Amino acid sequence: PAAETASLPSSISADASAAGESVAPSERPSFMKIGKEVMERDGLPGFFVGGVQRALYYAPMTGVFFGLYESLDRALYPMLLPALTNPVMYNLQPEVANIVEGVERNIVDLSIQAIAAAEALAS
């Protein structure tokens, strides 16, 4: 039955892949050919073989990840809130703003010069 095991379509050379050899591009079946073969052999459920196993494999990891993220977010947010709402972070002093703008302008100018040089070399 299709729901018990997943197998490669018969058009793929099992001998070559078992031996670690690569299959020539002309011998490789297309995506559509494999899809048609799976549909003919197993029907629509054939496309979902192994889905339950994958869900059971990833569910605990995903739960731990999101649980840890939410826990850290709730624990750290009160400590970070003053820094996030500090107006100094958004309204830089004029001296600092001028330095930042100058650096940005230099980066843009250097990028334009690099593009022009690359185009000159290419032509």
Side-chain angles (χ1 to χ4, degrees), residues 14-117:
D15 295 334
S17 55
E21 301 171 10
S22 61
V23 180
S26 60
E27 297 175 14
R28 293 182 188 158
S30 70
F31 178 77
M32 290 299 293
K33 184 175 181 182
I34 292 172
K36 286 179 184 176
E37 192 170 327
V38 170
M39 189 67 165
E40 289 171 2
R41 188 183 66 205
D42 301 324
L44 192 58
F47 291 102
F48 301 97
V49 170
V52 172
Q53 291 89 343
R54 285 287 111 191
L56 292 174
Y57 176 82
Y58 284 110
M61 179 176 54
T62 305
V64 168
F65 173 79
F66 284 116
L68 182 61
Y69 174 83
E70 287 296 323
S71 299
L72 288 174
D73 185 47
R74 291 176 190 200
L76 297 178
Y77 187 74
M79 290 185 287
L80 295 174
L81 187 60
L84 295 173
T85 58
N86 187 350
V88 174
M89 298 293 285
Y90 299 104
N91 301 320
L92 294 175
Q93 296 175 352
E95 301 85 23
V96 177
N98 288 335
I99 293 171
V100 172
E101 287 176 12
V103 169
E104 289 174 347
R105 270 190 244 111
N106 288 338
I107 291 172
V108 170
D109 291 342
L110 287 173
S111 300
I112 292 171
Q113 291 171 2
I115 292 170

